[in-house]
Amino acid sequence: MPQLNDSIRYLKGVGEQRAKCYEKLGVDTICSLLRFFPRAYTDFSEITPVMECVPGSVCCVRGKIFKKQGEQRIRKGLSLFKVYVTDGEGDLTITIFNNRFAFDALQMGREYCFRGRIQGNFLRKEMNSPEFIDPERVSPIRAVYHLTEGLSNNLISGHVKKALELWGDCLEDALPDTVRQKEGLCHQRFAVENIHFPQTKNALEVAKYRLVFEELLTLQLGLGLLKEQHREETGVLIQNPDVSEFEQALPFSLTDGQKQAIADGLKDFTSGVPMNRLVQGDVGSGKTMVACGLAFCMAKNGFQTAVMAPTEILALQHYRTFSGILGPMGISCTLLTGSMTVKQKRECKEQIADGQASVVIGTHALIQDTVSFAGLGLVVTDEQHRFGVNQRKKLAEKGERPHRLVMSATPIPRTLALMIYGDLDLSVIKEAPKGRQPIDTFLIDGKKRQRAYGFIRDHIVRGLQAYIVCPLIDEGESEAFSVTEYAEKLKGSVLSGVRTGVLHGKMKPVQKEKVMSQFQRGELDLLVSTTVVEVGVDVPNAVIMMIENAELFGLSQLHQLRGRVGRGTEKSYCILVSDYGNEQTRERLKIMTKSSDGFYISEQDLKQRGPGDFFGARQHGLPQLKIANMVEDMDTLRKTQRWAKRILMQDPALEFPEHAGLRREVEDLFEHGTQENG
Ligand code: ADP
Ligand code: MG
């Protein structure tokens, strides 16, 4: 007999073909099928009497079939079947379209639960093609799974049932008894059974709570272990943590937050333990300067710094910033990106290898195996959520346990930051540099578009610059098409004479870079772009950000986009264009006009959209959670944080026999669950 960890194709009824389908859902072993948790449930347990069903609402009715009326052909390809149901007080007419199978399954005189939208009126109630179950035979709460071609909900449900029957007893409970008892959590077996086939609503909740707890505890333990590992290592030791020369060379004075973040870093450099620090700060708070100051310190002490940016545009921009400030002080900076020629890359790598280059800035070309450093002391990753945990690790492996600095892209509430970046220490920059003016934000509809163009033109005439961002309509050709077409249309507007550049994700890196450089140098007045300008781009002379179809963006993303302006001393504006359909969208966008606080905005965003959309499917580089929700399960999260601390204090490497299960889970989550994202 196959084991829990064997391939799912050995499960009766699965086989090669369906195993391939399961693969698409991330299910490969029998065990992972049991942990393929439903995405939702259809509840047949709350029954509404027919008399009380309100037309237009979705109801579940329990009743007996008293009449069946066979096939009626309405026209070619459309036939319908009727079934008449009563719950003793009221009658319900059910129409089934094109589904003889369903019709035949329903037996005269038997009782079923039907769930669907009530049609008709108060006198004559109907339901079209409802879902139904036989309440005598199956549990009234039915799991709804993510599906893929070749696997229906019923099939999956059947396979899970079989797997539970055969292997349910082999499931080992990873939670130590003490934890389970103190927290009043159910056993593993009960949890897995009831998450798939809930006996009652309450049983489902109990099951879910236990699984959420287990998952979050595993996550916290994993992050805790990572943190512990670093603590045990010895880091690059800096003798002279003095950055006053750097500070004096700057054209502005650092904000208190920047100073504090740099001081935090310097303290880590002299501690003997590798730093693992996250710099959080709102858009435009000047996080780059923190990295720059720390890189300066490294260079002065004879160590190299690697700065990894998520895009070529950003890498180039950082290169200019770093070399502009550090270059005059005799610190050599170099750029390494994927689009450079083979020869350029080779020369660059030589400079890195023999230590001529003190600061190396690049995209993920930097983590290639052929890049080796003379003495890497600090690794900086910018806009970190684009990189996976593993990528961060890979770059760090290039040095003798270098210090690591991570700069976040999106400001997020502290509790959440601690959870996502639980393996990192945190420095928060609260205030923006002095002299920044608030960005005025307007919400307009399409009718005012021409006026907005006029407003943009007036600023361009004064030598300032602007962005217009169009959403990515879909992943196909249309991205290039939509911005190009948009720019084309502008020629018929008051913006016809302005020097306009187009930027979208489908362009080659060199092309993108060319346009971006032109814009940065002021050779273009207007940039029509998709969200490729979203993260990090810094052109202080740009003062207007106009966003088309603003309703299609998340609040945090809008805030990021808005952060592309307001970077200089000129008054800046953000214009959100939306012909929003409903009040809710309008309310959501209004938040942008009222607040400029990124932390607040991200909190609102999280509340409204949930973390899945907030981070994108796999942006934060954390293992993907199967069942816990970062926002809804915040209380459980705090509990598990405490437990993880307690457990790791007693058993820092999870070596006790009673922690073997947890250790296995951690390995599983962090080995198989982490997503890479370049
Ligand atoms: P972000 O935190 O969004 O990455 P950047 O590091 O790109 O912000 O900085 C935004 C802009 O602010 C840059 O043009 C930078 O030169 C400028 N800047 C940074 N620190 C200061 C400061 N202390 N005073 C004035 N301007 C600053
Ligand atoms: Mg930045």
Side-chain angles (χ1 to χ4, degrees), residues 282-288 314 317-318 382-383 407-409 535-538 560 564 567:
D282 206 343
V283 182
S285 59
K287 295 181 285 284
T288 317
L314 273 186
Q317 176 181 300
H318 282 333
D382 189 14
E383 316 299 355
M407 297 188 283
S408 78
V535 174
V537 169
D538 185 41
Q560 263 292 336
R564 297 311 107 216
R567 304 193 140 235

Side-chain angles (χ1 to χ4, degrees), residues 456-482:
I456 291 176
R457 195 200 48 195
D458 293 345
H459 282 79
I460 287 175
V461 169
R462 284 171 46 207
L464 298 164
Q465 291 164 286
Y467 302 94
I468 298 180
V469 170
C470 307
L472 218 163
I473 308 290
D474 78 55
E475 300 256 314
E477 303 291 312
S478 56
E479 177 185 359
F481 186 64
S482 63

Side-chain angles (χ1 to χ4, degrees), residues 372-609:
S372 68
F373 290 80
L376 185 58
L378 171 66
V379 171
V380 180
T381 33
D382 189 14
E383 316 299 355
Q384 112 89 17
H385 67 261
R386 300 245 173 147
F387 295 108
V389 171
N390 289 345
Q391 265 171 323
R392 264 197 266 150
K393 234 162 105 184
K394 207 160 167 183
L395 186 56
E397 275 159 12
K398 293 201 170 288
E400 290 280 316
R401 292 178 282 276
H403 298 282
R404 298 198 274 182
L405 184 77
V406 171
M407 297 188 283
S408 78
T410 309
I412 50 175
R414 193 183 168 90
T415 37
L416 196 65
L418 281 176
M419 139 122 168
I420 296 176
Y421 308 107
D423 59 329
L424 308 176
D425 295 318
L426 194 58
S427 297
V428 180
I429 306 181
K430 292 227 171 68
E431 78 281 50
K434 281 204 190 68
R436 292 275 167 82
Q437 298 187 41
I439 303 166
D440 282 351
T441 302
F442 303 102
L443 179 56
I444 65 170
D445 58 25
K447 283 182 231 131
K448 298 218 179 84
R449 188 177 282 110
Q450 296 304 324
R451 265 180 65 189
Y453 288 162
F455 187 70
I456 291 176
R457 195 200 48 195
D458 293 345
H459 282 79
I460 287 175
V461 169
R462 284 171 46 207
L464 298 164
Q465 291 164 286
Y467 302 94
I468 298 180
V469 170
C470 307
L472 218 163
I473 308 290
D474 78 55
E475 300 256 314
E477 303 291 312
S478 56
E479 177 185 359
F481 186 64
S482 63
V483 285
T484 316
E485 196 187 35
Y486 191 97
E488 205 51 44
K489 267 200 212 138
L490 286 181
K491 289 186 181 155
S493 77
V494 290
L495 288 171
S496 64
V498 310
R499 296 169 300 171
T500 303
V502 168
L503 199 64
H504 57 77
K506 289 271 174 315
M507 285 159 67
K508 289 214 182 74
V510 249
Q511 285 176 301
K512 271 194 261 183
E513 213 162 88
K514 193 170 152 221
V515 174
M516 206 54 229
S517 303
Q518 283 175 327
F519 189 68
Q520 249 152 0
R521 286 196 300 264
E523 292 162 19
L524 293 171
D525 305 309
L526 176 65
L527 197 59
V528 179
S529 167
T530 56
T531 52
V532 288
V533 294
E534 175 192 346
V535 174
V537 169
D538 185 41
V539 182
N541 193 48
V543 293
I544 300 175
M545 166 60 70
M546 175 165 161
I547 304 168
E548 291 281 354
N549 291 101
E551 74 281 356
L552 297 181
F553 296 93
L555 290 180
S556 298
Q557 207 179 2
L558 289 174
H559 184 66
Q560 263 292 336
L561 285 167
R562 177 168 63 183
R564 297 311 107 216
V565 299
R567 304 193 140 235
T569 44
E570 281 284 337
K571 176 88 196 152
S572 293
Y573 304 90
C574 175
I575 305 169
L576 306 174
V577 189
S578 175
D579 292 298
Y580 35 78
N582 58 45
E583 199 52 30
Q584 216 182 341
T585 313
R586 193 186 146 77
E587 282 306 309
R588 192 168 71 87
L589 292 175
K590 272 275 172 200
I591 293 176
M592 292 298 298
T593 65
K594 286 182 204 141
S595 174
S596 58
D597 177 351
F599 290 94
Y600 170 77
I601 288 173
S602 70
E603 208 173 273
Q604 296 304 310
D605 201 15
L606 265 162
K607 271 197 192 136
Q608 292 174 0
R609 296 194 301 159

